[in-house]
Amino acid sequence: MHLLYILVIIVAVLTVLSALALVLGSAKTEKARSLWFLVAAIGSAIWGMSISVFLSLKNGEIQQMNAPKLVAGIYSGAIVMDVALLGYISWKYRLGKMLTAAFAVIGIALLTVFLYDPSVLYSSINLVSMGNSIAIDLGQWFYIAYALFFCTITPVFCGFLIYQIRHSRNKKQKKGYLFFLFGLSVAGLLSLIFDIILPPTRYDLIWIGPLTIGLVIIGFYYAILRFKMITLNANWLRVLSYIVIIGSALIVYLLIFHLVFSALFKIANPSFQVVLLNFIMIAIVLLLTPAISEINALTKSWIMTKQMNIAYIVKKITALNRKQIDLREMAGFLAEHMHFSYVGFIVNGKFYGSDDFRMGASEIEEIAKLKVLEKGVWQNVSQISGAKELEISRIGVLTNAKGEVIGQMVFGKPVSKVTLDRQDLTEVEMIVNLMAVVIENGGRKS
């Protein structure tokens, strides 16, 4: 089977999964409306899968027997999808209910006539090596009626979407519907070209319609999650959403790969070995993603000497095993990434410092006697006689949940700034408070 047809089938499956997650994750008041979305996804899946399988058929007796069923699936799925999309978008309005019912009746009438007598659409089914197709009979009324049906219903549900966007008070919801409107407009235009205008002369491009519509539906589900239009409480629903999003990213990657491969090597369909290699490379990249992310954060923390990578530092502190914390090792890490000449902890009369920096007993005792201020974490460094020699720039007091002093955090001079600005001090103070929690809740390993 052609890679593009496989992608259409995968998109169809992901479309149904995303719609299922939307239905199960919606509030009770939105449940009934979300069912329309699920029906639209099922219709889109029938449409896309029928096209993919039909275009992949070989010329054999069994294939000839199944081809009419697949053609029926192509035109039935598309009608079901559009009617259900209109229902999802407009059902909460009285006019929307009326128009949805009207289009549903027209759609059922078209399908009934077509399923009873397929000759109203095509005169023959052609399964040939150059590309499968149907001989659409433009002399009959059905195809024109089918085209008018889609050319009418698409502006109607786009019009209801515009109405919702203009009257929505929720900015996030408005953004989600704007994305849906833009996607449906583009996908509708492509479907008009490749699934309505071109099929009488070129049937091999009808896969473009269901592929783009499917990607728009999945994209709208992502927008629903992104803009918090629903809340997924169950863990399995979150897993389902991860599958949909990662699967969609894979589809986009393979589409880009197919376009680049075809353009470079002038080959319509990559071999199985090439596709398999791509999947292996994707798997390797996914497995390396955590390591790449860690290296990127570490490198960024090293390079950004003018500012602290506070997110990386907090991530490392919160990941500590608090029962086996090594304060000397932690002091070295903080000195390196907070960009101080050294960092040290004074806990229970002992000093745990970074690198080879040492502090005498008299200095430790002098620092321990510093007055604790009623507000803030900083103590008065000027009261220490050897502050200049020790290059002490700041001393923060470590307190437990009861406000009792459990230690102090000593900072050397900044290595990239003469003085710390307000943002720097806020970030350093955050680290002091976080380390107080770590030391209070855990033990020490010196």
Side-chain angles (χ1 to χ4, degrees), residues 17-31 33-35 37 88 170 172-173 176-177 218 220-234 237-238 240-241 245:
L17 290 178
S18 64
L20 186 63
L22 175 61
V23 171
L24 297 174
S26 296
K28 289 183 179 179
T29 54
E30 289 288 316
K31 226 53 158 190
R33 182 168 174 254
S34 298
L35 286 172
F37 194 78
Y88 174 73
N170 188 319
K172 290 184 176 181
Q173 190 178 67
Y177 284 133
I218 295 170
F220 179 59
Y221 177 70
Y222 169 78
I224 287 172
L225 298 178
R226 170 69 177 79
F227 299 117
K228 304 292 188 296
M229 295 167 74
I230 64 167
T231 302
L232 301 179
N233 295 319
L237 279 176
R238 295 193 187 100
L240 188 59
S241 297
I245 293 169

Side-chain angles (χ1 to χ4, degrees), residues 96-390:
K97 288 185 176 71
M98 293 170 60
L99 288 174
T100 302
F103 276 105
V105 170
I106 295 170
I108 291 170
L110 286 172
L111 287 178
T112 302
V113 172
F114 169 61
L115 295 175
Y116 177 76
D117 182 13
S119 65
V120 296
L121 172 64
Y122 60 88
S123 55
S124 64
I125 296 177
N126 308 311
L127 303 181
V128 295
S129 59
M130 297 298 292
N132 299 338
S133 64
I134 62 173
I136 296 174
D137 190 351
L138 294 176
Q140 297 281 355
W141 61 271
F142 182 84
Y143 194 73
I144 296 172
Y146 176 82
L148 287 174
F149 178 86
F150 283 99
C151 290
T152 306
I153 196 171
T154 302
V156 171
F157 60 62
C158 285
F160 275 104
L161 261 180
I162 293 170
Y163 182 82
Q164 283 194 23
I165 292 166
R166 292 184 62 183
H167 291 81
S168 177
R169 296 180 180 179
N170 188 319
K171 290 184 177 180
K172 290 184 176 181
Q173 190 178 67
K174 185 177 289 189
K175 288 180 180 178
Y177 284 133
L178 271 171
F179 172 85
F180 199 28
L181 175 63
F182 176 77
L184 283 178
S185 300
V186 174
L189 179 61
L190 292 173
S191 298
L192 173 65
I193 296 170
F194 296 102
D195 291 74
I196 300 293
I197 297 174
L198 290 182
T201 54
R202 282 203 64 176
Y203 209 77
D204 59 310
L205 297 176
I206 57 169
W207 56 268
I208 293 176
L211 180 65
T212 53
I213 290 287
L215 289 175
V216 168
I217 293 175
I218 295 170
F220 179 59
Y221 177 70
Y222 169 78
I224 287 172
L225 298 178
R226 170 69 177 79
F227 299 117
K228 304 292 188 296
M229 295 167 74
I230 64 167
T231 302
L232 301 179
N233 295 319
N235 288 330
W236 69 271
L237 279 176
R238 295 193 187 100
V239 172
L240 188 59
S241 297
Y242 278 122
I243 293 171
V244 171
I245 293 169
I246 293 172
S248 304
L250 177 62
I251 294 297
V252 173
Y253 165 78
L254 288 174
L255 279 172
I256 295 171
F257 159 73
H258 183 272
L259 291 173
V260 174
F261 185 88
S262 300
L264 288 177
F265 300 102
K266 309 298 181 184
I267 300 174
N269 192 32
S271 65
F272 171 77
Q273 290 80 0
V274 173
V275 176
L276 179 61
L277 176 62
N278 263 273
F279 276 105
I280 293 172
M281 293 306 298
I282 291 169
I284 292 172
V285 170
L286 288 175
L287 290 173
L288 290 177
T289 296
I292 293 170
S293 177
E294 179 69 17
I295 292 169
N296 179 57
L298 180 62
T299 305
K300 186 178 179 182
S301 186
W302 281 340
I303 293 172
M304 293 166 57
T305 57
K306 293 289 184 180
Q307 61 186 96
M308 286 175 273
N309 189 347
I310 193 70
Y312 180 72
I313 296 170
V314 171
K315 176 186 173 184
K316 284 296 184 182
I317 293 175
T318 52
L320 288 172
N321 182 347
R322 298 183 182 184
K323 293 183 179 181
Q324 296 181 341
I325 182 173
D326 188 328
L327 288 179
R328 286 199 177 93
E329 183 180 325
M330 196 63 216
F333 169 81
L334 292 174
E336 183 177 10
H337 293 277
M338 294 177 73
H339 311 302
F340 286 95
S341 57
Y342 69 86
V343 171
F345 298 95
I346 297 177
V347 181
N348 294 333
K350 291 185 179 181
F351 180 78
Y352 305 91
S354 55
D355 299 328
D356 296 327
F357 184 83
R358 294 289 182 268
M359 190 176 286
S362 59
E363 287 91 352
I364 294 172
E365 186 178 352
E366 190 176 1
I367 292 172
K369 290 180 180 179
L370 286 176
K371 184 180 179 181
V372 178
L373 301 178
E374 292 183 5
K375 293 183 179 180
V377 301
W378 304 117
Q379 295 180 292
N380 192 352
V381 178
S382 62
Q383 295 179 4
I384 302 171
S385 56
K388 288 186 178 180
E389 289 77 8
L390 294 172

